[in-house]
Amino acid sequence: EVQLVESGGGLVQPGGSLRLSCAASGFTFSSYVMTWVRQAPGKGLEWVSTITNGGTISYNESVKGRFTTSRDNARNTLYLQMNSLEPQDTAVYYCAKELQIDGFYFGMDHWGKGTLVTVSS
């Protein structure tokens, strides 16, 4: 079965840094596009970043320049390095696997349970 397990969340002061990890199993990780999504308290889902199987990365403007997405295909792990954190970054962060079939994208078919990031002094 497909499993995605996020880790690395916690409490950090404004201006601080955290690195989130997403351990993937149950599928050929290197062949799939992966995405980070977050949900702030009381808010809806917000797309954060996507990295393709070829390493092309895109970011939401709200995190561009502060967050860096990467992947280690040998370790089946997705990362999100978060720097210069702001209180507005407080959210549950999820990693998700994109459904790809013959070059078409159908959305995110598997999600992790999420890890909570709290940015507060």
Side-chain angles (χ1 to χ4, degrees):
E1 63 178 347
V2 172
Q3 288 192 316
L4 300 169
V5 181
E6 301 94 338
S7 62
L11 176 64
V12 63
Q13 294 184 342
S17 299
L18 282 175
R19 188 178 77 159
L20 306 183
S21 298
C22 173
S25 61
F27 66 101
T28 305
F29 177 77
S30 61
S31 298
Y32 285 86
V33 173
M34 300 294 295
T35 287
W36 288 102
V37 175
R38 67 184 181 183
Q39 186 170 36
K43 302 293 183 64
L45 297 169
E46 180 184 35
W47 170 73
V48 175
S49 180
T50 293
I51 182 168
T52 71
N53 53 322
T56 300
I57 306 168
S58 57
Y59 298 96
N60 189 305
E61 288 294 327
S62 66
V63 305
K64 186 176 294 184
R66 299 187 299 118
F67 290 11
T68 302
T69 299
S70 62
R71 64 192 300 161
D72 187 338
N73 289 336
R75 298 181 182 274
N76 289 349
T77 303
L78 175 72
Y79 300 100
L80 183 66
Q81 178 66 48
M82 305 184 295
N83 300 324
S84 301
L85 284 163
E86 304 168 355
Q88 301 93 306
D89 295 316
T90 295
V92 176
Y93 285 73
Y94 301 92
C95 66
K97 168 185 172 290
E98 298 277 0
L99 176 59
Q100 298 169 242
I101 302 176
D102 295 334
F104 292 88
Y105 294 83
F106 298 95
M108 292 163 276
D109 61 344
H110 291 278
W111 298 60
K113 292 183 174 64
T115 185
L116 177 63
V117 172
T118 302
V119 184
S120 176
S121 58

